[in-house]
Amino acid sequence: MAELFPSFQSKTITIDGVNLHYFCGGSGPPLVLVHGLGSSASVEFYYNLEPLAKHHRVFAIDLPGFGRSDKPVLEYTIALFVRAVSDLMDCEGIERAAVMGVSMGGRVALGLALDSPEKVERLVLVDALGVGAPRRVLSYSILLTRGLGELTLRGTARALRQMNPAVIRRFWGWYLKRPKSVDTIWTDERIANHGSLLATPEYRAAYLSALRSIAGMRQLRDGVVVEDRLPELRMPTLLIWGGHDHIFPARHAQAAKDRIPNGRLEIFDDSGHTPQMEEPERFNRLVLDFLREPVSRRGEGVA
């Protein structure tokens, strides 16, 4: 990964017998990044690591079960992921940091901010799980079904290895109704890398375990949605949302912003579920501006 992220080191720590991988690089105030379900630090923040590291000491974790971290047989839950991020900060001697989470990683960041607010100086939530019930998505209903989910992931792994990448992009663009964005994000190399990940039984098991700990067939598990606790967030909080998010509609972000005392919201009208990938230059500029704001401006809400 040195050629992709030259400012970063690839590091590993062992916590409770589990090896956790993370990237560490840059200089300045600490910034912790948390990826979403089925992703990894290098995939989720491919377009963000280097720009953010020009102004911050960045720590981008591979959550247990994903990326280069160990994938033991266990129940992968939000609580487990929150502990992993907290333990990483402790091991690195980070008492307080800005924390940014995407999708499921946003719920992990929320969990850390609610459970250990002294550790989170500023919070960035990107199309985050936990601030409202997601839209019903057929693919997730399939994956939540025991047996069928396992079979589907094995078939997807074969398809990613064998199908023409252009065909995969066309299908995914049709499914998300975002053909141009998919063409930009899903390069041949990234499709191949994702196929290699899915080919690993341990990865598939971790993915399904995490998904099923979040949601049942009809609704999210108790405690996943924390919209009633959002007023507890006292740190400056920036919500970044794709206007075309097919999982978490932008109205969730607007409602969440109104509940957070120091909340701000920026909607990317031309993005879907991954604005950090679809509009990276605008995204990086927005995040850096938010993180460098002087104390006197904290808490000003922006719709």
Side-chain angles (χ1 to χ4, degrees), residues 34-284:
V34 190
H35 66 77
L37 177 65
S39 191
S40 69
S42 62
V43 169
E44 198 81 83
F45 304 110
Y46 182 88
Y47 299 102
N48 318 114
L49 287 175
E50 285 293 336
L52 295 176
K54 291 179 180 178
H55 303 275
H56 291 269
R57 183 68 169 166
V58 178
F59 301 84
I61 187 174
D62 282 341
L63 293 171
F66 300 101
R68 300 186 192 177
S69 290
D70 282 354
K71 303 167 182 63
V73 178
L74 49 77
E75 185 177 1
Y76 290 90
T77 64
I78 296 296
L80 173 72
F81 297 145
V82 171
R83 287 197 303 273
V85 175
S86 181
D87 288 345
L88 170 62
M89 292 178 66
D90 292 343
C91 288
E92 281 283 355
I94 306 169
E95 295 183 0
R96 191 169 172 82
V99 180
M100 179 168 77
V102 176
S103 192
M104 184 194 74
R107 176 60 181 84
V108 176
L110 265 172
L112 183 67
L114 291 169
D115 296 344
S116 304
E118 71 282 358
K119 288 191 168 188
V120 182
E121 183 175 12
R122 302 191 189 198
L123 182 63
V124 181
L125 303 175
V126 185
D127 292 75
L129 169 70
V131 302
R135 291 190 178 105
R136 297 200 61 166
V137 178
L138 176 61
S139 59
Y140 285 119
S141 297
I142 293 171
L143 293 173
L144 287 166
T145 305
R146 302 282 175 179
L148 185 56
E150 285 77 0
L151 182 63
T152 299
L153 285 189
R154 287 198 298 270
T156 302
R158 285 196 301 273
L160 289 177
R161 293 196 307 271
Q162 297 173 6
M163 290 177 64
N164 186 313
V167 175
I168 294 172
R169 280 190 288 270
R170 282 199 297 272
F171 171 79
W172 198 239
W174 166 81
Y175 176 70
L176 299 180
K177 300 179 182 179
R178 308 289 296 150
K180 292 183 179 179
S181 295
V182 169
D183 285 346
T184 302
I185 296 169
W186 288 102
T187 63
D188 292 4
E189 180 184 12
R190 296 187 69 204
I191 289 173
N193 289 342
H194 198 62
S196 298
L197 274 178
L198 274 175
T200 307
E202 295 83 0
Y203 170 88
R204 297 197 300 267
Y207 178 95
L208 292 173
S209 173
L211 178 63
R212 291 164 180 170
S213 76
I214 292 170
M217 286 300 296
R218 298 188 180 276
Q219 61 186 10
L220 295 179
R221 304 289 185 191
D222 289 342
V224 173
V225 174
V226 290
E227 55 186 326
D228 290 342
R229 296 191 62 192
L230 295 179
E232 298 176 30
L233 298 173
R234 298 298 173 181
M235 69 286 295
T237 300
L238 173 63
L239 298 101
I240 304 176
W241 231 264
H244 293 275
D245 192 325
H246 69 296
I247 304 175
F248 306 124
R251 66 177 182 274
H252 289 176
Q254 182 64 58
K257 192 270 293 186
D258 293 340
R259 286 174 171 264
I260 299 172
N262 293 329
R264 298 175 51 188
L265 169 63
E266 188 86 12
I267 295 178
F268 284 33
D269 291 329
D270 294 329
S271 286
H273 188 60
T274 54
Q276 83 283 4
M277 298 182 188
E278 295 171 60
E279 298 182 65
E281 292 184 6
R282 177 186 174 190
F283 180 92
N284 295 332

